[in-house]
Amino acid sequence: MRPFAYERAPDAAAAVRLAGSAPADARSPVQYLAGGTNLVDYMRLDVLRPQIVVDINDLQDAHGEIEARPDGLHLGALARMADVADHPAVLRDYPVIAQSLQLAASAQLRNMASLGGNVLQRTRCQYFRDPSWTACNKRDPGSGCAALHGVNRKHAVLGASEHCIASYPGDFGQALVALDAAVTTVGPRGPRTLRFEDLHRPPGDTPQVETNLMPGELITGFVVPAGPWTRRSLYLKVRDRQSYEFALASAAVALDMDGGAVRQARIALGGVATRPWRAREAEAALAGKPLDHAAAPRRGGRRLRRRGRPRRRRLQDRPRPPNPGPRPDAGAGDGGLRCPTTPACPSPPNRLAP
Amino acid sequence: MAANPSSEAGVSRRRVLAAGGVSAAGLPLMSLAAERAAPAAPPRAPGAAVPVRLTVNGQAHSLSVDPRASLLDTVRERLGLTGTKKGCDHGQCGACTVHIGGRRALSCLTLAVAVRGPVTTIEGLAGPGGGLHPMQQAFIDQDAFQCGYCTPGQIMSAVACVQEGHAGSDDEIREYMSGNLCRCAAYPHIVKAVVQARGQMGRT
């Protein structure tokens, strides 16, 4: 880990001031530290190299609330995942939020991790995590993308670009985007509120810029609007392991029902997209229709197949690098896309922690 | 890694250099941060040592630490409490689990400078007379380990699991202990140990 200067901020205004004191030319000059579960890991991997770390844990008194009010659920950015997941009002009125948090990470990590840090967690793409891979546009802009022709079973099929196919790893973010949550921030230009859906950017040709936050802008909280659909909600997560694993695919769903018919469905998809992904086409396919076990997967699945197909085709049509000749491990029909490290193609490393 | 190898008694070159900065002034951190109102004020030098007060197992320590030092390395290398183990050092295995402010946490991903609240390690679990904690005894009774390397983390996590009220059933124990890996695969016996200790601990 590279040396950094450690500062503690007593309040949000001081945190933003401290963040503004860094030289602007550094790659990631300032990082805010809350639980540290993502940041310290990536600093130790030499992926993140802040010159200044601003500890914001003293902001928990002012920005750590978990309050169900008539207008919605107010969550402070310094509230910890475990406390929100176990909160009676969240469990009762916003089960998709409680479940998205409870099904993430481990008990220790949920005790530590803040909500603000959770939504900003970095991808688990192993080529991003391991700097010995030189090609990673997210880590080193312009260097390429090793995942395009690497081990990419867990990479994004929605929202990817030719520059980056890293998937967004979070669960809580899917619940927020499905429920039309807002994000409150404070930055060099003062406080503002933005839609959670507008927080994360598609990778495009600048995958290193993951959010629409300004330099030094700090998330202070989230507001989830109240509605009858929040109680009729759930988070479904499919994993390679039963527990303590990132999603292969997940769905945050909240239903506004009119008798047996769907008035409006709110659906977000995780594990398969480059950012928290609102599945509006699936929602439209369900709107006004009776909900039954036979129709729902057919309607939603058809839309997803349509969206998911282009990237797969693009990948296969892309010109290949010079062919080094047949490899003994190249199987028929896989286009030569095999694990770059070992013929046996084991699971990529570092998939255990959130 | 972030270990600060210098002993408490020794004087490292790094610390001498850092003394030119803010740490030697002995000012409380909070006032330093609050006084830095001008955006252009130079920040603390990268790597400058930071004074911290840590309470570990009821004992207060005043240390000057490299900001990179994890709580794990600090309790092991600086305080000599080697019961807490380093497994992956990336928050994936749970071997380094300790309690901070009564909550289980991963000491490898916790910077020592950022610790708030008293720390309890496996050495602090036994009673004042040295008697084993019910969870420690249960791990022995149920043969809940083989090589033992993950065991301090397992026990610290298991104690918290019961205290949180997340040990209601075998399935719940498995779910809430999933952050502690055991390469020897002693999991069935670990579940039995948590069940045994659960009855003796009650909820606190």
Side-chain angles (χ1 to χ4, degrees), chain A residues 207-222:
Chain A
Q208 75 278 14
V209 184
E210 296 184 350
T211 73
N212 286 314
L213 296 176
M214 293 179 289
E217 189 171 7
L218 175 67
I219 294 178
T220 52
F222 307 89

Side-chain angles (χ1 to χ4, degrees), chain A residues 36-89:
Chain A
T37 56
N38 203 237
L39 176 63
V40 175
D41 183 29
Y42 274 114
M43 288 168 65
R44 195 165 287 147
L45 290 167
D46 203 27
V47 173
L48 295 179
R49 304 167 181 173
Q51 297 190 355
I52 302 174
V53 170
V54 179
D55 184 337
I56 56 170
N57 285 291
D58 289 333
L59 278 60
Q60 186 158 359
D61 286 344
H63 303 287
E65 75 274 16
I66 307 170
E67 292 173 11
R69 301 181 199 163
D71 68 324
L73 180 65
H74 293 246
L75 299 171
L78 272 297
R80 307 295 156 161
M81 290 173 70
D83 297 327
V84 181
D86 283 345
H87 194 281

